[in-house]
């Protein structure tokens, strides 16, 4: 199995409990073909869906077709993730209670928000890195103060962090599993005018006192976290973690309709949806708007799945181009914005002092 075949196989496995046709295809493959399980483990792990793969195969009664040692390993990893997520849920409840007492209402983003909804039969399915939430710009400094007063401190204490457009540097508390990212913006500056706190607040709702985005906005953010914040749109890349979130959310709301309020973001949103449509085997809830531009994007997406050398070569070129653009933007900010200028001067002085101490 090459990379594309393995990716598409995992994609179908993640949908076997909702899509009868995919269940039949996967079962037939498990019985009649040789599965490269090393490749499946490697790719599902790198795409952060290994526990979700296990949970879906288990629910569909397909584990009997897997090697026994693999099933044991999957069960072990999934249990560890289950225990981690249950601890993260407790951590979020504590943070939420603290902020609500101080008249701050955080809106929880991405994976941590999904844990409080009915997306998963098993809380172990979703792998969580950080606890992300967004608050208004007016409450931003107050929220940072409250969290730090509660025992959280910067994860990278020895780094003099540059000003961040999106969020405060990650904060960690001793004894807590997950770091916190306090957002004042959702997307990078280029697209913040289209998707921001005001948009997030609109139609948000509460589940047991936990505020989350509307289903439309959750679906859009699941895509944009990959396409825009992680540069997936530019390198024609898809991460199954985000794609699986989009698939589950497409059962809650109409995916195509969720994009209609956007302008510049609509095209990268639709391209990711088109990629999901292919990876999960042409599922109706992931139907996308066809166009010449979108089909060209899909053509490139599929080419990169089978041409490793070209993908790696183009990836390096595109990442370098994006780095240079962002470096130029940052330099301009140090010239025209006081906050960035002060950081640059302080950073220079700190490095000069450390150099003298080392000599």
């Amino acid at each position: 199995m090459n990379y594309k075949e393995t990716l598409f196989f995992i994609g179908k496995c993640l949908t076997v409990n909702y899509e009868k046709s995919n269940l039949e295809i996967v079962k037939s493959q498990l019985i009649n073909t040789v599965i490269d399980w090393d490749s499946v483990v490697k790719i599902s792990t790198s795409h952060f869906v290994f526990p979700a793969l296990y949970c879906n195969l288990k629910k569909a009664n397909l584990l009997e077709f897997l090697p026994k040692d693999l099933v044991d390993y999957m069960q072990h990893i999934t249990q560890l993730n289950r225990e981690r997520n249950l601890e993260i849920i407790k951590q979020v409840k504590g943070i939420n209670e603290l902020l609500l007492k101080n008249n701050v209402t955080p809106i929880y983003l991405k994976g941590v928000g999904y844990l409080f909804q009915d997306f998963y039969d098993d809380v172990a399915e979703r792998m969580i890195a950080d606890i992300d939430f967004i608050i208004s710009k007016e409450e931003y400094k107050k929220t940072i103060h409250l969290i730090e007063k509660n025992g959280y401190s910067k994860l990278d204490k020895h780094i003099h962090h540059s000003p961040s457009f999106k969020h405060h540097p990650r904060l960690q508390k001793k004894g807590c599993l997950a770091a916190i990212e306090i957002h004042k913006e959702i997307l990078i500056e280029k697209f913040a005018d289209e998707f921001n706190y005001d948009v997030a607040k609109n139609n948000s709702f509460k589940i047991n006192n936990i505020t989350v985005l509307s289903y439309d906005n959750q679906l859009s953010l699941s895509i944009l976290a990959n396409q825009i914040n992680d540069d997936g749109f530019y390198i024609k890349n898809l991460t199954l973690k985000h794609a699986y979130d989009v698939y589950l959310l497409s059962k809650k709301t109409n995916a195509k309709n969720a994009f209609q309020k956007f302008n510049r973001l609509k095209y990268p949103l639709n391209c990711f949806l088109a990629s999901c449509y292919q990876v999960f085997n042409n599922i109706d809830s992931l139907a996308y708007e066809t166009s010449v531009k979108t089909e060209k994007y899909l053509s490139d997406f599929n080419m990169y799945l089978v041409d490793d050398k070209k993908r790696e070569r183009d990836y390096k070129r595109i990442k370098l181009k994006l780095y240079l653009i962002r470096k130029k933007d940052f330099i301009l900010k140090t010239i025209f914005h006081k906050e960035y200028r002060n950081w640059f001067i302080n950073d220079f002085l700190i490095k000069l002092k450390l150099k003298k101490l080392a000599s």
Side-chain angles (χ1 to χ4, degrees):
M1 296 172 73
N2 60 31
Y3 178 80
K4 181 177 180 179
E5 290 169 340
T6 307
L7 186 76
F8 281 38
F9 171 75
I10 296 169
K12 287 190 281 287
C13 288
L14 292 172
T15 69
V16 290
N17 292 292
Y18 297 90
E19 314 297 333
K20 186 178 179 180
S21 60
N22 280 351
L23 173 61
E24 292 173 352
I25 292 170
V26 169
K27 190 171 184 178
S28 177
Q29 282 186 270
L30 291 172
I31 294 172
N32 300 311
T33 63
V34 176
I35 305 296
D36 184 351
W37 289 112
D38 286 341
S39 181
V40 170
V41 171
K42 180 180 178 181
I43 293 173
S44 61
T45 300
S46 66
H47 282 250
F48 305 102
V49 292
F50 190 60
L53 177 64
Y54 169 76
C55 290
N56 276 283
L57 293 175
K58 179 182 178 182
K59 185 179 178 182
N61 297 315
L62 295 175
L63 292 180
E64 63 179 290
F65 302 109
L66 277 63
K68 176 66 167 57
D69 58 342
L70 173 59
V71 174
D72 291 342
Y73 178 65
M74 296 177 86
Q75 185 177 15
H76 173 66
I77 296 300
T78 302
Q79 179 59 26
L80 291 177
N81 197 53
R82 182 181 298 110
E83 292 169 2
R84 173 180 167 83
N85 283 351
L86 291 173
E87 286 299 314
I88 289 175
I89 288 171
K90 291 179 185 177
Q91 188 180 348
V92 172
K93 288 179 178 178
I95 295 166
N96 196 60
E97 183 179 356
L98 169 70
L99 296 180
L100 291 181
K101 281 183 179 178
N102 288 276
N103 301 312
V104 175
T105 302
I107 302 174
Y108 293 91
L109 307 174
K110 299 181 291 185
V112 72
Y114 305 150
L115 292 183
F116 290 89
Q117 300 173 67
D118 59 345
F119 290 169
Y120 315 113
D121 291 326
D122 189 331
V123 72
E125 282 192 45
R126 187 53 154 79
M127 299 191 78
I128 306 291
D130 300 326
I131 296 170
D132 294 84
F133 62 81
I134 189 168
I135 38 81
S136 67
K137 291 177 183 177
E138 293 75 21
E139 295 174 323
Y140 185 62
K141 289 185 178 179
K142 174 185 176 181
T143 303
I144 293 169
H145 175 72
L146 288 168
I147 295 295
E148 290 182 338
K149 191 177 178 181
N150 192 247
Y152 285 83
S153 60
K154 289 181 181 178
L155 192 62
D156 302 311
K157 297 177 183 179
H158 303 294
I159 296 177
H160 185 221
H161 294 274
S162 61
S164 173
F165 177 77
K166 280 171 51 191
H167 59 75
H168 190 67
R170 297 166 72 217
L171 300 172
Q172 183 86 54
K173 183 177 181 178
K174 188 176 181 180
C176 293
L177 290 177
I180 296 175
E181 281 193 356
I182 304 171
H183 287 252
K184 63 179 186 289
E185 297 287 355
I186 296 176
L187 300 181
I188 59 174
E189 192 169 0
K190 182 179 179 180
F191 297 101
D193 60 328
E194 285 199 43
F195 200 3
N196 47 46
Y197 175 78
D198 291 333
V199 175
K201 188 177 179 181
N202 186 36
N203 296 322
S204 60
F205 62 97
K206 288 187 177 183
I207 300 175
N208 297 324
N209 233 20
I210 299 291
T211 303
V212 296
L213 300 172
S214 69
Y215 288 137
D216 281 2
N217 286 335
Q218 288 185 64
L219 192 149
S220 296
L221 180 56
S222 293
I223 293 176
L224 296 172
N226 183 99
Q227 289 287 75
I228 301 301
N229 291 342
D230 294 341
D231 299 327
F233 175 67
Y234 305 104
I235 59 178
K236 311 295 190 297
N237 182 45
L238 172 147
T239 303
L240 283 174
K241 176 181 73 172
H242 297 110
Y244 184 51
D245 291 340
V246 169
Y247 169 70
L248 294 176
L249 282 158
S250 75
K251 302 301 182 182
K252 302 284 186 182
T253 188
N254 185 290
K256 283 195 294 186
N257 290 348
F259 306 157
Q260 298 309 310
K261 62 178 175 286
F262 297 114
N263 294 311
R264 289 173 298 150
L265 290 172
K266 187 176 178 182
Y267 175 54
L269 284 163
N270 190 60
C271 287
F272 190 91
L273 190 64
S275 303
C276 291
Y277 184 78
Q278 285 203 350
V279 171
F280 292 124
N281 194 30
N282 306 341
I283 292 170
D284 290 342
S285 65
L286 297 171
Y288 62 97
E289 292 184 359
T290 59
S291 68
V292 173
K293 286 175 65 179
T294 303
E295 296 307 316
K296 175 62 170 62
Y297 180 95
L298 274 179
S299 176
D300 290 342
F301 171 74
N302 281 285
M303 174 191 63
Y304 286 142
L305 292 180
V306 296
D307 192 335
D308 293 338
K309 290 184 179 179
K310 181 169 177 56
R311 182 179 70 245
E312 291 174 8
R313 185 173 63 249
D314 288 358
Y315 176 84
K316 290 178 180 178
R317 175 180 56 81
I318 294 167
K319 292 295 282 187
L320 176 60
K321 181 180 177 181
L322 292 171
Y323 170 78
L324 293 174
I325 291 171
R326 288 161 187 167
K327 200 70 174 177
K328 177 185 175 183
D329 289 342
F330 191 84
I331 292 170
L332 290 173
K333 284 178 180 178
T334 62
I335 298 172
F336 296 107
H337 294 273
K338 184 178 179 181
E339 181 186 11
Y340 286 82
R341 189 162 57 249
N342 289 342
W343 171 85
F344 180 79
I345 294 170
N346 290 332
D347 186 63
F348 174 77
L349 293 173
I350 289 170
K351 288 179 179 177
L352 184 64
K353 183 178 179 180
L354 289 174
K355 186 177 181 180
K356 286 181 178 180
L357 290 171
S359 61

